[in-house]
Amino acid sequence: MRRALRCDGLPRQIHDADVYGAHPGFLSAVYPPANGRPEWFFFVCRAQCQGGRRRAGPGAYRLGSEARLLGGAAYCHAFRYYEDEAEVGSASTRETEWRMDEYGDCRSAAAAFDMVVCKLYPARGGIVHTMLGVHEPASPSHRPDMNKPQVLVQLYLDSLNLGDPRRCRMYATPDVFAAHPAVLTVAFPAANDRCEWFFAVHRRRRELEENDEDKARPRRAGPGAYVLVREGRVVNGNGGDIGYRRAFLYREDDATVRRVSRTEWWMEEYGFGKDFPHSELPAGKATMDEDEELVVYKLYLKMAGHRR
């Protein structure tokens, strides 16, 4: 499907994100709409599933209709989103105004995974459609490629599944700065074949504010310190602040170790801004105190001198 679009990357109106990983209201609050209309397009790889249901966050999409396109070469499945009832033990659901059209290639129907384009939108004339109205398209200068929101979205969704190794490889830790990164990571399996480790930390807002005021100060961690190399803000489609990304290089105190080592430890810090739509997620998921904020850290190794 990417080849059909005749581009290596996706057009800025189509977002590379897991539309089945969250409530549609959450996705619409993070990603800019297409062409100023209350419509969102997502390119996603989904597992094949039987029947007309697609689980997504605190609910599921149910198939309403289907059609064949382009002489039978492609298909379109139209879904309606139903939320699970909030009461504990309740098996009932409630239909929402959110709709999704799923477009795919019929030739990939037998594959284990299917690459699809999904169009997300509220039913015309409903309360959500009226509330969203028409948005002005975001300026490309407000959406730097290195800080697209899908990374923050996926990290936040992963943090909701801490302790479930079947759904995420992110670990809770009180302090990523308590030891050398090699000591911290040795007790945990890597999250992927790129040898990356992800840690979720609930930090006091006052501590985060102090770090913001003195970002250039190295952060001590065992026999060395993390040194800030670069940072960037992440914004939503309306230019709102939904978070930041900072990259740090771990610098050993011992000059001999630095000289002979062929690898370097790096850390990326992801924080969530005031406009990140936490409230769009299901009730009961929040586990933080009011004076705490979630911060996610990624640790990984690179060859010395290599920058990416």
Side-chain angles (χ1 to χ4, degrees):
M1 194 171 293
R2 282 183 186 269
R3 289 195 298 269
L5 293 170
R6 295 184 179 179
C7 57
D8 294 330
L10 292 172
R12 68 184 185 89
Q13 295 91 346
I14 303 179
H15 310 294
D16 199 351
D18 183 8
V19 73
Y20 308 107
H23 190 290
F26 174 83
L27 298 172
S28 68
V30 174
Y31 295 97
N35 303 317
R37 296 187 295 270
E39 301 173 346
W40 292 261
F41 292 88
F42 297 90
F43 186 87
V44 59
C45 175
R46 69 164 178 82
Q48 292 285 5
C49 53
Q50 301 297 322
R53 286 172 59 88
R54 306 277 193 271
R55 285 298 305 177
Y61 291 101
R62 295 184 185 177
L63 182 64
S65 63
E66 52 187 321
R68 292 297 179 92
L69 309 173
L70 303 176
Y75 66 83
C76 173
H77 292 166
F79 293 88
R80 298 186 176 201
Y81 187 74
Y82 289 77
E83 290 178 343
D84 299 335
E85 291 292 346
E87 288 79 6
V88 177
S90 174
S92 59
T93 59
R94 179 182 67 87
E95 182 181 353
T96 71
E97 297 177 10
W98 285 103
R99 306 290 184 261
M100 182 182 74
D101 295 339
E102 181 185 88
Y103 298 89
D105 188 341
C106 291
R107 292 169 295 183
S108 63
F113 293 90
D114 193 9
M115 305 301 295
V116 297
V117 170
C118 297
K119 174 186 174 183
L120 189 66
Y121 58 98
R124 186 176 296 276
I127 296 175
V128 176
H129 184 273
T130 303
M131 178 182 65
L132 291 174
V134 177
H135 298 262
E136 289 297 326
S139 167
S141 63
H142 288 167
R143 305 191 316 113
D145 290 341
M146 66 176 291
N147 294 312
K148 289 183 177 180
Q150 53 258 38
V151 175
L152 274 181
V153 171
Q154 190 58 55
L155 290 175
Y156 192 84
L157 295 176
D158 285 345
S159 74
L160 300 180
N161 298 308
L162 287 174
D164 185 352
R166 297 170 300 174
R167 304 186 65 182
C168 81
R169 283 291 183 89
M170 182 182 292
Y171 308 102
T173 183
D175 188 5
V176 294
F177 302 101
H180 190 287
V183 175
L184 180 65
T185 58
V186 71
F188 302 96
N192 49 49
D193 58 5
R194 296 186 297 275
C195 292
E196 298 173 339
W197 289 262
F198 294 87
F199 297 92
V201 181
H202 292 169
R203 298 181 60 185
R204 299 291 178 184
R205 284 196 173 93
R206 179 176 298 178
E207 180 184 355
L208 292 174
E209 291 170 357
E210 292 174 353
N211 286 338
D212 285 340
E213 293 173 358
D214 194 11
K215 292 179 290 189
R217 177 176 55 85
R219 302 188 190 181
R220 296 294 307 175
Y226 288 102
V227 180
L228 180 65
V229 176
R230 56 182 176 272
E231 65 175 327
R233 305 299 302 182
V234 184
V235 299
N236 60 21
N238 299 317
D241 174 24
I242 65 170
Y244 65 86
R245 170 183 175 269
R246 294 172 182 158
F248 297 85
L249 169 64
Y250 187 77
R251 182 178 175 84
E252 305 274 0
D253 290 341
D254 191 324
T256 302
V257 174
R258 294 199 305 268
R259 185 172 61 254
V260 301
S261 178
R262 300 179 62 184
T263 59
E264 296 173 335
W265 279 99
W266 283 74
M267 179 181 74
E268 294 180 9
E269 178 184 86
Y270 294 88
F272 303 86
K274 60 182 179 62
D275 297 317
F276 193 87
H278 301 83
S279 60
E280 297 289 350
L281 292 166
K285 286 291 188 181
T287 59
M288 293 180 291
D289 296 334
E290 292 184 356
D291 62 340
E292 290 182 331
E293 289 188 11
L294 172 69
V295 182
V296 175
Y297 296 90
K298 179 174 79 171
L299 295 176
Y300 54 95
L301 276 168
K302 294 195 299 186
M303 295 301 297
H306 179 68
R307 300 290 186 267
R308 70 178 184 183

